[in-house]
Amino acid sequence: MNEFGLGAIGPNGKLASPSRGGNATSNGVLAALSPEALGRLKPFLRERFFRDGHVLWKGGERPDRVYFPVSGMISLVVATKPGAALEVGSVGLEGAIGFDGGADAPAAPASAVVHASGTFVHMPAREFAAASRQSEELRRVELVCREWILAQAQLGAVCNAVHSADARFGRWLARAAEAIGSDVVAVTQEVAAEMLGLRRTTVTLIAQNLQAAGIIRYRRGVITILNHAALRGAACSCSASLGPSRWPSRLVASRADGAGADRPSAEPANRSA
Amino acid sequence: MPTFFFNLIHRGGVTLDPDGTTLPDEPAARLHAEGVARELMQNREAATRFWRLRVCDDERRLLFEVPFVEIDPTLLHLPVHLREAMRDVVVGAASLGNAIHDVRFSIRQLRGTMARADGLPYLVALDGRTLPDRPAT
């Protein structure tokens, strides 16, 4: 654990923060880096708040910044028709996205849109690439983060084809809460409907059913999850397949613990209680 | 543009559409309802066979209904007489369901009246309908 995180990653994969009552105040990938690797990135890291709907980059464009979400979520979307786009993956505090694939790699087809407002740590992609040339740990971080996106796209393709609308909504909602580290998901039904390729009425009816069952509460643009276990029961099985065992933050942390032979002790000088 | 409300009748009861959707006219509302029904039934057609959408105007008056069984694309391969038989079963089940609901409602009204006469607590409303007549106090 380096000084970038305030505490250990708990069994639910979330960072515990005394000041925010359980919400993460850091990105899980950054918190799992060794002090040496983090030190290479620190001079370039900045934090910024983005509103819901902010477009980070469009499909076909090369992203120029790597984003490490802290309290918001980035949705990867592909346009289906003018003004509408389907979500093909998402990144929250468990991952990172925006790595520079190099000038000769074709840019990814998906756009990146913020779909839960929040803060994001970021740095120039070019600087990350330069740092990772010197660090095997950072190269592995990028690989693990990319594989997370790929796993989501693979499972998502099947999910969208064979699972029912209510199960897909349940999964999307549970995933959004996990990505932002909070049970209070500030996303409208319109946005959820667009991400899932459904009519808003369909999502409204599904959400009303969940509310009647006491699983969620919906008020003007904010969905609060009241019963996680029941929500997972209503969601499709993809939730389980894309669980913490695939999170980049977990994979980076476990590698750091396992490969500590030639690394100096990871006890930070200013560890908080 | 008028607002239409798309309420869902399913096995567990009724799910109300709280906000409605603005659409140009009733034919557009029917297309929208069919689209919503298809989305709700997709990949679980058998489980939603008895569901239907009840479309109301902004004064909550019923305009038309869309039974899921009527637009289920996975049934299109069946011969017409079988599809019609399925439709009849669903419509019949809906009528039966309504009749049972009405009988239960009447029984509750009776119970309410008797309880009031005995000075005991009674249910005043159920599913948005008031039960016994209000006493003239």
Side-chain angles (χ1 to χ4, degrees), chain B residues 94-111:
Chain B
S95 298
L96 186 58
N98 286 344
I100 289 174
H101 181 86
D102 287 345
V103 167
R104 286 202 174 124
F105 196 86
S106 300
I107 290 174
R108 285 213 166 90
Q109 279 181 312
L110 267 171
R111 285 197 181 133

Side-chain angles (χ1 to χ4, degrees), chain A residues 159-168 189 197-209 212 218 220, chain B residues 6-8 10 14-21 31-32 34-44 51 53:
Chain A
C159 179
N160 289 346
V162 308
H163 289 150
S164 62
D166 60 323
R168 291 176 56 223
Q189 290 178 352
L198 299 169
R199 287 169 173 76
R200 204 218 72 171
T201 305
T202 304
V203 167
T204 295
L205 291 168
I206 293 170
Q208 286 287 111
N209 268 342
Y218 179 70
R220 283 276 162 260
Chain B
F6 301 84
N7 304 317
L8 177 66
H10 56 94
V14 181
T15 301
L16 295 175
D17 172 10
D19 304 318
T21 304
L31 280 176
H32 186 79
E34 288 174 2
V36 170
R38 271 193 302 271
E39 285 174 358
L40 284 172
M41 76 171 71
Q42 186 166 11
N43 292 327
R44 52 167 179 172
W51 292 17
L53 280 173

Side-chain angles (χ1 to χ4, degrees), chain A residues 82-105:
Chain A
L86 200 62
E87 192 187 78
V88 298
S90 60
V91 180
L93 52 78
E94 81 294 327
I97 193 165
F99 302 97
D100 183 359
D104 48 356

Side-chain angles (χ1 to χ4, degrees), chain B residues 1-90:
Chain B
M1 280 218 294
T3 300
F4 297 89
F5 293 85
F6 301 84
N7 304 317
L8 177 66
I9 319 290
H10 56 94
R11 273 293 170 73
V14 181
T15 301
L16 295 175
D17 172 10
D19 304 318
T21 304
T22 23
L23 291 158
D25 51 27
E26 208 173 295
R30 183 172 286 276
L31 280 176
H32 186 79
E34 288 174 2
V36 170
R38 271 193 302 271
E39 285 174 358
L40 284 172
M41 76 171 71
Q42 186 166 11
N43 292 327
R44 52 167 179 172
E45 289 80 3
T48 58
R49 180 92 352 104
F50 288 85
W51 292 17
R52 60 191 191 280
L53 280 173
R54 184 173 283 173
V55 185
C56 303
D57 64 14
D58 51 16
E59 282 168 25
R60 307 287 179 165
R61 277 185 304 235
L62 173 64
L63 295 171
F64 58 88
E65 289 198 341
V66 176
F68 282 27
V69 69
E70 268 181 19
I71 58 159
D72 184 347
T74 66
L75 297 177
L76 290 177
H77 68 285
L78 291 176
V80 172
H81 69 276
L82 274 182
R83 266 188 275 146
E84 280 172 3
M86 292 187 77
R87 204 172 300 149
D88 291 345
V89 168
V90 171

Side-chain angles (χ1 to χ4, degrees), chain A residues 122-175:
Chain A
H122 61 88
M123 65 177 290
R126 189 185 48 231
E127 298 297 347
F128 186 95
S132 69
R133 277 193 282 277
Q134 313 292 320
S135 164
E136 199 223 311
E137 182 182 340
L138 289 179
R139 285 197 295 279
R140 179 175 155 79
V141 163
E142 179 175 340
L143 178 66
V144 156
C145 288
R146 284 183 186 279
E147 289 190 342
W148 172 229
I149 304 297
L150 180 59
Q152 290 186 48
Q154 291 174 335
L155 283 164
V158 173
C159 179
N160 289 346
V162 308
H163 289 150
S164 62
D166 60 323
R168 291 176 56 223
F169 176 78
R171 167 166 95 90
W172 188 86
L173 184 59
R175 164 63 191 148

Side-chain angles (χ1 to χ4, degrees), chain A residues 18-91:
Chain A
S19 59
R20 283 180 59 180
N23 288 341
T25 58
S26 177
N27 171 270
V29 171
L30 291 175
L33 292 177
S34 66
E36 184 256 337
L38 181 63
R40 293 181 187 276
L41 306 182
K42 264 188 83 173
F44 308 103
L45 294 174
R46 301 283 180 271
E47 189 165 314
R48 193 177 149 181
F49 176 86
F50 290 107
R51 297 211 146 283
D52 184 283
H54 182 96
V55 179
L56 297 175
W57 67 83
K58 291 208 170 100
E61 284 176 10
R62 189 173 308 282
D64 61 359
R65 310 198 74 83
V66 179
Y67 294 88
F68 303 85
V70 172
S71 62
M73 180 176 80
I74 298 174
S75 288
L76 293 174
V77 298
V78 174
T80 47
K81 59 180 189 205
L86 200 62
E87 192 187 78
V88 298
S90 60
V91 180

